Amino acid sequence: MGFQKGGHKMSVGKTAVLVAALTAATCGQTAIAQDYSQAPDFQAQVDAGELPPLADRLPEPPLVLEPLEEVGKYGGTWRSALKGTFDNGWIRRTVAYQPLLAFDYNWAKVVPNIAESYEANEDATEYTFHLRKGHKWSDGEPFTAEDLAFALNDIMKNPDYSGEKAQGFDWANMTGEAIDDVTFKITLEKPDGLLLQQIASVNGPFFVQAPKHYCSQFVPTYNENAEQVAKDRGFDSWSQAIERVCFTNFTDEKRPTLNAWRQLTPYDGINQLIEFERNPYFFKVDPEGQQLPYIDRVTMVQSENVEDILLKVINGEVDFSNRHFATVTNKPVIYDGQEAGNYHLVSTIDARMNTGVLQFNLTHEDPAKRELYQNHDFRAALSMGIDRQEIVDVIYAGQGEPYQAAPRPESEFYNEELAKQYTEYDPDKANEMLDAMGLDQRNGDGIRLDKNGNPIRIQLYTPSDQVELNDIAQLIVGYWSDLGIDLDQRNVERSFVYETFQSNKHDLHMWWGDGGLGDAILDPRYYFPMNNESAFAYKWAQWFINPEGAGAEEPSDAAKKQIELYRELKASADPEKQAELFSQIIDIAQDEFWVIGTVLPAEGYAVAKNNLGNVPEAQPYAWIYPQPGPMGTSQFFFKD
Amino acid sequence: MTAYILRRLVAIVLTLLALSVVVFVVIQLPPGDFVTSYIARISGSGESIDQATIDALRAQYRLDDPVIVQYWAWLKGMLVGDFGFSFEMKRPVSEIFASRIGNSLAVEMLAVIVMWSVAIPIGIYSAVYQYSIGDYFATIIGFLGLALPNFLFALVLMYISYVWFGVTITGLYSPEYMNAHWSLAKFLDFCSHVWAPVLVISTAGSAQLIRVLRANLLDELNKPYVLTARAKGLKKSKVILRYPARVAMNPLISVVGWVLPTVISSSFVTAIVLNLPTLSPILLRALLSQDMYLAGALILFMGFLTMMGTLISDILLAWVDPRIRLGMAGAN
Amino acid sequence: MASPDIHEPAMSSQVEGASDYIPVGTESQWQLIRRRFRRHRLAVASLWVIALFLLVAIFAEFLSTNDPHDVQARYTYAPPQRLHFIDVQEDSGWRIQPHVFGYKVEVEPEALRRVFKIDEEKKIYVRFFVEGHDYNLFGLIPMNRHLIGTENPRDPLFLLGSDRLGRDVLSRLIYGTRISLSVGVIGVILSLVLGVVIGGLAGFYGGFFDAATQRTIEFLRSLPSIPLWMGLAAAMPPSWSALQVYFAITIILSLLGWTELARVVRGRFLALKGEDYVSAAIYDGASNLRVVLRHMVPAFTSHIITAASLAVPGMILAETALSFLGLGLQAPVISWGVLLQEAQNVRVLATAPWLLAPGAAIVIAVLAMNFVGDGLRDAADPYNNT
């Protein structure tokens, strides 16, 4: 991640149109109106006096979005599908990714978005954001630095707020301050060199999801009847009202927004069709000065099952999406349906570096198991006992390559040694290594005995909704039984999997390998124990989060070294130094070989209708970088 | 009669009370609680969640209270008409309920009607022409629906209608009518969707009806009055439809009680596959995510519906059949 | 079963029946039932079908052509091979020799799948009683002979195609038959025991016990079955072994299934209690147990068998429904429900419909069991003399 160095002031507008607009702005508002144009229905409303003129609706300067392919035209509806009531992730990826600063298309750097520019001090303790003058919420109310301070100080930092919070921020550490209407400053007690990336991540938009003029009605600091207001709206408490209405949940269509489309129907689990329409106050224009978005409406059908979504896709009822249905299993069906459904497949670069990471519990409560699992050779031998090529052949029709839990080849942190060590299938050598470890005694079933004379039985729970993980696990059961290891794998409800490892009761945990690209540095869960998802050393991760916290245990020296390096990394505002420190963390991960990887995922895919314009090709796919959001979905348009 | 109905109503209330205990315990049985399943779900998109948030959520939903306390709070609420709160949808249960009950009842009622109209002709035919080719054919058709697992039938219907007609029949409305008010166009759209679930649900239950009707009719057909009527030269069809068929219908009323649970159970699976906006998908989700008040209230409602069905069928029977009515009086 | 004691009720039913059918000598009740049952030809045919299913379940290992868990990486989603009997030789002579053709396999990386073409060049001969994977017949006798198989065990033989991991669908179906049928049968036996004991006691003693039983049955029947199964099934500790889960599922199904049987039994008990011959036995000083076992139970055994035979398919369907919801038996256990659960997606419908074979097996088995149950009921009904 080499984004522009802090302390350097960035500006956005480089196009002639914008320069013209800026100079025109000094001459008065009326001049701008001639340079910008808007959707026909808005024009009609302006002519009828129902809507203020465009010049009064756009901030100065508006953001000029360079299209991926071409300048588009107005019209159409973007259709996609949501699964169940809990799929706000897709809305956050498509409609609601409008953070202060955004990732650029290639996930290479952080660029201005709602903020026109920003500054950071050398110590990474003070960040200042400059907003756009005249920026307005979708209801026409002014958007100012006060709104940002409200979201940060009065909601996230509020000790009485008990609802969900944006992930990845250290609230106690940050304080927001509205210097004036267009200047917002965040002051940190401890330096955080990753703050800008965090703001550009999927977690960042919380800043602009709580318009103060609307959301303060639920906050007791501003409204002494807040609790009653919440109850009248059917909520249990004011916290819950905030969480549902003024956070990432989209249950209240009346909440003003800065997004390209404003909501028409709430996503409350009851409505089957969630609709959005163009926001007349949206702050982006194309190089020709047309106000974005091009597409009139966005609709999402709420469905209960993925097979239904898949049928909608192949029937041509989805314009652009890869949500839920774009799996390995479904690809042949979707591929075959292209002609009839009038759509095509576009590739995505999966940021995940593994289709299944096996994490032995190195902080197991049982001392015998702990000792065994902590043995580097034990893990290495089991890794060599896995026939990864067969996994690739069986499950991925030959697409993919044997890979450990390591940054992807495209990543700047790629470490070939870490990626490839112990991936060679060599059961004989694995058996020799296990024998050499002193595990040469076997019981009647051929299962090796541990030093206490108990057969080595490893329990693995895999979530039943993850077909591929279950299949990989079943294959591994066979491979390991050739090594004399009894892997007892069960498909269970996903929540049980979590219940098990988050109470440190697991032998082995298996999950997707997140953190292969730009998310490596923000979410290095498999490289060292750092969050609740680091199941290979849950107690060490707790120690990293809070050494005094429940379940925390002092990590091994190597892990401690990594933790120190990561703390140092966070304290630095210099991306180069951050990269250097992170490489050291990866090097230690290579020596320690914490977790066992299986297969590097081949490229993913998304479905796009043939008449859709500015479709992203080979876009990274991740959560931190909420594909397709960073492409600027407002530039999608329908060709004739 | 009134006393009888009153007694039954009291019994229903007591049964519901017992049911509420069972339901609450059963929902609590699986390990973990709503917050665990919530964490598990958001992890699917690569998210992680910190301990402070987890603790805050548990406190917010009062999941750390003892089960008895949670149950008592729920029960107390229900007595004053407050069915609690859905953790997942963050709304009062009654609101969710109100939004879906119409669709649920529409689909289920239609299914019951279709079930009867399929079962009655087949039942009569196969009793009158017992052991004929036609009997075997009709019975096989009638039983196919029972033998075919609902989810498979629904999935195959869904796929066939895509391949043959190029339409996705899932849901009850096309997207353009989902948020629209009722109109003739929306009604027609509804009809073009509702046939699939109705077909699946009604075929699942009609086999039982055919069986009951056939058995009863066979009994009646051998009674002396039928033989007499036939011997006197009345046409067969006339005899059957005028007397035995009518008498054989009586037991059909008594099956109202168990038709409802059958319909509800098969609509449960069907609605999930076909993505119907009914209560069933909400219940499944609530059960899986341990959204206990929502799941509890929905199951209680289903139990209530079944019990009312049984009561109504008993009252109808008594009203139709003097023997039962008198027997009831005698019992008093 | 055909003991002389049951003549009494059988006779009485005939007298009451005022039949057009004159007994010559004395036929036992069972002979009568058999005679009537034979008239329901569909039921008779179904009985043979069920026998076939039972044989498959018993000799699953011997009948299966492949190890049902064996993963063949090169043959994922392979379509079924046709079994040919007439082998045309190169010199244009022919002989009867069953064989299948091999596959030509190509990978389409774009579509992420293997494409199979029948390779007529490659004949794979199918032999009888060949050696294959090891097993224990009836869990006891170690064997490795199978009814049919290929000469070279490495050659593919997928008579019903293969699944997503390249496992043989036919062999999995055969193994699944055993699990699914046994869930049905064991579940019904459990419900039967519960139903007969509880229903019998209620019917015989009446009074408070009867009232309590009635309320309990009403209560259980008012429960919507699927959510309750779900709750119970989800509550099973996941650490249980496959066998434990199997029995737990069976018990859950039968716990909710006994009510119907109990109702039937109680009803019959109440009816029989008023019969003269029962009163006679009681006045004769027979003990309660003797009255019940000697005089009452035989009189409605046929009804119990009927009710039980109709309950088996219900159990089998319930098992598949639980599996569909992801709460029943789980892989690597093979049951029809598990197989269908793996197959219930659009990918299978569109590209591998042979994976729905278990669906056909369920339909056939459930239909057959229902018809047999109906046949039995018709036959056992004393009033039905048509």
Side-chain angles (χ1 to χ4, degrees):
Chain A
M1 285 291 312
F3 57 83
Q4 289 269 351
K5 205 171 167 178
H8 176 81
K9 184 165 174 165
M10 288 178 70
S11 70
V12 197
K14 290 208 172 63
T15 65
V17 176
L18 187 63
V19 174
L22 280 172
T23 44
T26 54
C27 310
Q29 302 262 315
T30 44
I32 304 175
Q34 277 139 32
D35 293 312
Y36 297 119
S37 57
Q38 57 191 319
D41 52 330
F42 285 162
Q43 187 64 54
Q45 286 180 43
V46 171
D47 293 344
E50 291 160 5
L51 195 67
L54 179 58
D56 297 347
R57 304 197 320 258
L58 281 174
E60 39 174 298
L63 188 149
V64 179
L65 185 70
E66 284 294 337
L68 287 174
E69 290 162 359
E70 57 187 313
V71 167
K73 63 181 197 57
Y74 290 114
T77 302
W78 169 12
R79 299 161 302 164
S80 61
L82 299 167
K83 186 185 161 218
T85 36
F86 206 78
D87 202 13
N88 55 11
W90 179 241
I91 305 180
R92 291 169 73 181
R93 284 169 181 271
T94 51
V95 172
Y97 180 70
Q98 294 300 349
L100 286 176
L101 310 172
F103 287 123
D104 71 342
Y105 179 66
N106 297 320
W107 203 354
K109 57 182 189 293
V110 169
V111 296
N113 192 49
I114 283 172
E116 186 195 357
S117 60
Y118 66 90
E119 294 140 26
N121 68 355
E122 291 291 341
D123 309 338
T125 52
E126 279 181 27
Y127 293 87
T128 311
F129 302 87
H130 300 282
L131 308 181
R132 296 162 199 276
K133 282 198 199 70
H135 199 156
K136 293 189 175 66
W137 293 100
S138 57
D139 60 353
E141 291 291 317
F143 160 70
T144 68
E146 286 293 339
D147 290 304
L148 303 178
F150 171 74
L152 177 55
N153 299 340
D154 295 320
I155 298 181
M156 292 296 143
K157 271 181 73 92
N158 189 332
D160 297 329
Y161 173 65
S162 64
E164 272 177 80
K165 296 181 182 181
Q167 298 295 310
F169 293 94
D170 183 4
W171 303 111
N173 189 25
M174 24 187 328
T175 308
E177 185 189 350
I179 308 279
D180 59 41
D181 275 359
V182 290
T183 317
F184 178 65
K185 185 169 159 192
I186 296 175
T187 316
L188 303 177
E189 282 171 34
K190 287 179 294 183
D192 186 354
L194 298 176
L195 185 71
L196 294 179
Q197 287 200 48
Q198 201 59 256
I199 285 176
S201 80
V202 69
N203 299 316
F206 80 88
F207 273 115
V208 296
Q209 276 159 341
K212 187 177 181 182
H213 66 282
Y214 189 78
C215 291
S216 57
Q217 60 173 319
F218 302 116
V219 182
T221 334
Y222 293 89
N223 178 1
E224 54 190 26
N225 297 324
E227 200 71 33
Q228 195 53 46
V229 172
K231 291 241 159 74
D232 292 346
R233 295 271 296 254
F235 297 107
D236 227 13
S237 63
W238 74 267
S239 285
Q240 204 173 56
I242 288 288
E243 177 191 302
R244 301 312 289 175
V245 174
C246 300
F247 193 54
T248 51
N249 287 309
F250 312 99
T251 54
D252 181 8
E253 76 283 7
K254 293 185 200 70
R255 169 181 60 169
T257 172
L258 298 180
N259 300 330
W261 296 275
R262 59 183 179 186
Q263 209 170 340
L264 285 177
T265 43
Y267 180 37
D268 52 7
I270 292 173
N271 272 300
Q272 299 151 255
L273 186 71
I274 319 305
E275 289 179 278
F276 301 83
E277 64 169 5
R278 182 187 284 117
N279 173 6
Y281 295 90
F282 191 54
F283 67 103
K284 293 183 187 175
V285 295
D286 72 10
E288 288 179 7
Q290 302 189 79
Q291 188 193 21
L292 294 171
Y294 296 125
I295 289 183
D296 295 340
R297 294 163 85 83
V298 178
T299 61
M300 300 175 184
V301 178
Q302 188 195 318
S303 179
E304 291 305 323
N305 78 62
V306 178
E307 300 307 316
D308 175 34
I309 299 178
L310 175 60
L311 272 181
K312 286 184 164 59
V313 168
I314 56 181
N315 207 26
E317 295 172 29
V318 166
D319 295 299
F320 181 86
S321 180
N322 54 354
R323 186 77 172 167
H324 301 301
F325 63 82
T327 61
V328 169
T329 312
N330 291 341
K331 196 167 182 190
V333 180
I334 294 173
Y335 182 84
D336 288 344
Q338 290 182 95
E339 205 175 318
N342 198 20
Y343 60 84
H344 62 279
L345 303 187
V346 293
S347 67
T348 60
I349 307 293
D350 201 329
R352 294 177 294 200
M353 46 63 181
N354 228 289
T355 55
V357 177
L358 294 155
Q359 307 180 69
F360 276 103
N361 184 359
L362 307 183
T363 56
H364 205 291
E365 307 290 351
D366 175 347
K369 285 187 171 176
R370 175 185 288 226
E371 189 191 328
L372 183 66
Y373 299 162
Q374 284 198 3
N375 189 322
H376 182 286
D377 284 352
F378 178 72
R379 300 194 303 270
L382 292 195
S383 175
M384 283 191 290
I386 298 173
D387 188 351
R388 293 177 173 78
Q389 193 54 49
E390 187 177 78
I391 295 177
V392 170
D393 285 340
V394 172
I395 298 169
Y396 303 103
Q399 308 303 301
E401 62 174 289
Y403 213 76
Q404 293 292 5
R408 293 180 64 96
E410 300 92 340
S411 162
E412 64 171 304
F413 302 118
Y414 177 63
N415 173 328
E416 193 183 347
E417 182 66 28
L418 174 59
K420 289 295 180 182
Q421 63 184 348
Y422 314 122
T423 56
E424 199 68 30
Y425 179 50
D426 193 344
D428 297 336
K429 187 158 176 226
N431 268 317
E432 273 169 36
M433 281 172 76
L434 292 172
D435 287 342
M437 279 174 59
L439 300 171
D440 47 354
Q441 300 299 311
R442 297 188 183 224
N443 71 5
D445 297 330
I447 304 300
R448 289 172 192 277
L449 304 178
D450 67 10
K451 62 167 188 173
N452 297 336
N454 298 319
I456 298 179
R457 187 177 159 281
I458 298 161
Q459 180 82 59
L460 171 63
Y461 297 122
T462 50
S464 47
D465 56 342
Q466 301 285 319
V467 177
E468 289 149 31
L469 274 187
N470 293 325
D471 286 347
I472 295 177
Q474 275 199 34
L475 292 177
I476 293 177
V477 169
Y479 304 141
W480 285 0
S481 82
D482 294 343
L483 304 183
I485 303 289
D486 177 14
L487 177 63
D488 180 10
Q489 180 254 337
R490 301 282 168 76
N491 302 354
V492 297
E493 212 345 78
R494 197 199 279 181
S495 59
F496 181 80
V497 178
Y498 275 77
E499 173 80 9
T500 307
F501 87 77
Q502 303 215 330
S503 50
N504 201 33
K505 288 184 192 131
H506 60 302
D507 293 343
L508 183 63
H509 177 63
M510 188 176 179
W511 190 244
W512 286 91
D514 295 279
L517 286 178
D519 48 350
I521 207 163
L522 284 184
D523 184 1
R525 59 172 77 155
Y526 296 122
Y527 307 129
F528 77 95
M530 55 82 62
N531 68 16
N532 278 357
E533 299 278 331
S534 302
F536 65 95
Y538 187 76
K539 297 182 114 178
W540 295 351
Q542 299 307 310
W543 190 86
F544 169 73
I545 295 162
N546 177 10
E548 313 294 308
E553 188 183 292
E554 195 172 335
S556 73
D557 292 343
K560 243 158 104 180
K561 175 75 183 152
Q562 286 180 308
I563 288 171
E564 271 163 33
L565 287 168
Y566 194 70
R567 292 216 165 106
E568 201 181 323
L569 179 158
K570 279 199 81 159
S572 160
D574 177 0
E576 274 163 42
K577 191 173 175 210
Q578 287 177 355
E580 156 60 23
L581 290 167
F582 197 68
S583 292
Q584 290 182 35
I585 293 176
I586 296 285
D587 289 343
I588 298 176
Q590 177 210 315
D591 292 338
E592 294 299 323
F593 188 55
W594 299 123
V595 296
I596 302 172
T598 49
V599 176
L600 179 73
E603 65 182 23
Y605 63 98
V607 160
K609 286 290 269 193
N610 290 335
N611 64 344
L612 190 69
N614 291 331
V615 175
E617 183 68 50
Q619 191 183 9
Y621 170 79
W623 171 242
I624 299 268
Y625 167 100
Q627 172 274 350
M631 68 168 279
T633 50
S634 57
Q635 62 172 294
F636 274 138
F637 73 99
F638 287 101
K639 302 172 190 169
D640 290 322
Chain B
M1 191 73 181
T2 327
Y4 170 77
I5 295 175
L6 273 178
R7 248 186 321 134
R8 287 289 299 266
L9 283 176
V10 171
I12 287 181
V13 171
L14 291 177
T15 319
L16 279 177
L17 205 62
L19 184 56
S20 75
V21 177
V22 173
V23 163
F24 206 80
V25 170
V26 167
I27 295 173
Q28 298 269 354
L29 276 181
D33 54 27
F34 173 74
V35 173
T36 347
S37 65
Y38 166 80
I39 300 164
R41 237 163 339 142
I42 64 167
S43 69
S45 46
E47 271 183 86
S48 58
I49 189 163
D50 55 52
Q51 197 61 43
T53 311
I54 294 172
D55 294 342
L57 284 174
R58 282 231 163 81
Q60 189 187 338
Y61 301 138
R62 304 186 190 99
L63 291 173
D64 293 328
D65 290 352
V67 178
I68 300 278
V69 175
Q70 294 184 37
Y71 173 73
W72 180 238
W74 184 51
L75 192 66
K76 244 184 358 195
M78 280 198 296
L79 293 180
V80 295
D82 172 9
F83 288 88
F85 205 80
S86 161
F87 297 153
E88 184 169 2
M89 299 204 240
K90 311 278 162 54
R91 291 176 157 249
V93 167
S94 50
E95 205 176 303
I96 299 164
F97 189 80
S99 71
R100 292 288 177 97
I101 181 71
N103 288 334
S104 279
L105 288 181
V107 171
E108 280 153 18
M109 288 301 158
L110 276 173
V112 170
I113 293 169
V114 171
M115 202 187 278
W116 249 281
S117 42
V118 168
I120 291 175
I122 294 186
I124 293 180
Y125 182 91
S126 65
V128 175
Y129 300 100
Q130 197 188 9
Y131 302 146
S132 69
I133 299 291
D135 170 23
Y136 293 144
F137 182 74
T139 330
I140 289 181
I141 295 293
F143 277 63
L144 258 184
L146 173 81
L148 204 57
N150 290 325
F151 61 88
L152 192 66
F153 191 18
L155 191 71
V156 170
L157 270 188
M158 194 163 111
Y159 183 69
I160 283 180
S161 74
Y162 156 70
V163 175
W164 291 354
F165 312 117
V167 288
T168 43
I169 48 160
T170 52
L172 287 178
Y173 316 98
S174 308
E176 55 268 37
Y177 295 110
M178 278 178 183
N179 294 336
H181 291 288
W182 277 102
S183 63
L184 183 64
K186 182 169 181 174
F187 178 72
L188 291 178
D189 182 62
F190 172 74
C191 294
S192 73
H193 283 83
V194 80
W195 63 270
V198 165
L199 186 63
V200 176
I201 300 168
S202 59
T203 51
S206 52
Q208 294 282 8
L209 280 181
I210 293 174
R211 180 174 281 148
V212 172
L213 188 62
R214 179 174 179 269
N216 286 308
L217 201 51
L218 281 175
D219 281 355
E220 287 300 317
L221 284 178
N222 294 315
K223 292 218 167 134
Y225 77 90
V226 178
L227 295 175
T228 315
R230 286 282 283 145
K232 287 196 167 178
L234 269 171
K235 265 170 64 188
K236 191 173 183 179
S237 60
K238 202 166 181 181
V239 177
I240 292 163
L241 291 180
R242 182 159 292 178
Y243 304 106
R246 274 158 71 180
V247 179
M249 290 302 155
N250 271 0
L252 280 187
I253 297 172
S254 70
V255 295
V256 169
W258 59 254
V259 160
L260 275 173
T262 314
V263 165
I264 289 173
S265 278
S266 52
S267 73
F268 187 80
V269 169
T270 312
I272 289 157
V273 178
L274 289 177
N275 190 31
L276 303 185
T278 61
L279 288 171
S280 316
I282 290 187
L283 175 58
L284 176 69
R285 223 156 45 203
L287 283 170
L288 289 180
S289 63
Q290 302 197 23
D291 191 349
M292 54 187 184
Y293 299 132
L294 181 56
L298 287 178
I299 298 181
L300 269 188
F301 171 71
M302 288 186 175
F304 175 72
L305 215 59
T306 319
M307 285 179 243
M308 288 309 284
T310 321
L311 176 61
I312 290 170
S313 78
D314 284 355
I315 294 172
L316 277 180
L317 263 185
W319 180 61
V320 170
D321 192 333
R323 285 170 298 184
I324 299 176
R325 192 164 60 227
L326 294 173
M328 223 179 260
N332 288 341
Chain C
M1 259 295 178
S3 71
D5 297 313
I6 49 181
H7 277 219
E8 240 173 7
M11 294 281 280
S12 77
S13 81
Q14 275 169 28
V15 174
E16 276 174 19
S19 65
D20 54 337
Y21 154 77
I22 302 141
V24 181
T26 42
E27 274 187 300
S28 75
Q29 187 192 12
W30 294 99
Q31 281 166 316
L32 289 172
I33 286 176
R34 207 176 304 139
R35 182 195 290 262
R36 290 199 200 103
F37 182 79
R38 285 210 195 98
R39 302 175 60 169
H40 195 320
R41 270 166 290 172
L42 201 54
V44 177
S46 299
L47 202 59
W48 286 105
V49 173
I50 293 175
L52 200 69
F53 272 104
L54 287 176
L55 280 179
V56 169
I58 293 167
F59 294 102
E61 294 94 346
F62 176 66
L63 292 172
S64 64
T65 53
N66 295 41
D67 180 344
H69 296 288
D70 186 28
V71 171
Q72 300 204 33
R74 265 168 49 77
Y75 298 106
T76 53
Y77 290 112
Q81 287 164 315
R82 234 183 89 195
L83 192 59
H84 300 267
F85 291 98
I86 295 174
D87 180 23
V88 182
Q89 305 279 301
E90 269 167 38
D91 55 10
S92 77
W94 61 275
R95 56 176 178 157
I96 293 182
Q97 172 62 60
H99 63 277
V100 294
F101 292 117
Y103 298 105
K104 269 189 211 143
V105 189
E106 267 172 51
V107 173
E108 276 184 16
E110 279 280 283
L112 215 58
R113 69 170 153 210
R114 289 189 171 76
V115 180
F116 292 88
K117 284 208 186 73
I118 295 296
D119 181 1
E120 303 226 351
E121 302 289 297
K122 193 166 181 251
K123 267 180 206 162
I124 300 168
Y125 289 107
V126 176
R127 306 265 183 227
F128 288 96
F129 306 109
V130 292
E131 293 191 7
H133 62 275
D134 298 328
Y135 62 91
N136 292 332
L137 191 66
F138 311 126
L140 296 171
I141 313 160
M143 278 178 73
N144 64 357
R145 294 276 169 187
H146 297 265
L147 180 63
I148 57 169
T150 53
E151 284 178 317
N152 179 353
R154 302 172 67 103
D155 283 335
L157 179 65
F158 299 116
L159 294 177
L160 275 180
S162 72
D163 72 356
R164 66 185 195 287
L165 297 181
R167 296 174 297 197
D168 180 39
V169 173
L170 177 64
S171 304
R172 292 175 71 73
L173 183 57
I174 289 173
Y175 274 78
T177 304
R178 169 179 292 173
I179 301 278
S180 290
L181 286 190
S182 65
V183 167
V185 172
I186 296 176
V188 166
I189 291 173
L190 281 176
S191 330
L192 206 58
V193 171
L194 279 172
V196 169
V197 170
I198 297 176
L201 288 175
F204 192 79
Y205 288 109
F208 173 76
F209 187 80
D210 184 34
T213 315
Q214 283 293 95
R215 293 292 87 74
T216 313
I217 291 180
E218 253 170 47
F219 175 64
L220 285 176
R221 286 174 74 81
S222 73
L223 299 177
S225 52
I226 288 194
L228 204 68
W229 291 338
M230 282 185 61
L232 291 174
M236 272 187 296
S239 55
W240 280 5
S241 72
L243 198 69
Q244 281 172 311
V245 171
Y246 166 84
F247 279 113
I249 295 276
T250 315
I251 289 170
I252 288 174
L253 293 179
S254 54
L255 272 183
L256 300 171
W258 64 270
T259 54
E260 174 63 32
L261 282 165
R263 219 175 48 82
V264 172
V265 171
R266 171 184 170 273
R268 297 306 301 173
F269 255 104
L270 285 180
L272 288 176
K273 229 163 54 166
E275 294 283 340
D276 293 341
Y277 75 93
V278 174
S279 312
I282 294 172
Y283 297 140
D284 211 25
S287 72
N288 280 351
L289 193 68
R290 188 182 157 81
V291 171
V292 171
L293 291 182
R294 282 291 203 176
H295 299 280
M296 294 174 79
V297 167
F300 60 83
T301 320
S302 62
H303 286 90
I304 293 180
I305 291 177
T306 308
S309 71
L310 288 172
V312 177
M315 292 271 173
I316 292 175
L317 285 172
E319 188 265 322
T320 63
L322 273 184
S323 293
F324 161 75
L325 296 166
L327 294 159
L329 299 170
Q330 295 280 344
V333 174
I334 304 170
S335 74
W336 289 346
V338 170
L339 292 175
L340 268 193
Q341 198 247 336
E342 289 176 351
Q344 42 130 346
N345 56 59
V346 173
R347 163 90 193 258
V348 165
L349 285 168
T351 68
W354 54 87
L355 284 173
L356 296 176
I362 291 173
V363 169
I364 294 170
V366 171
L367 276 181
M369 287 175 193
N370 270 298
F371 292 142
V372 169
D374 270 358
L376 280 175
R377 193 220 307 267
D378 285 2
D381 189 342
Y383 294 104
N384 177 12
N385 293 313
T386 48

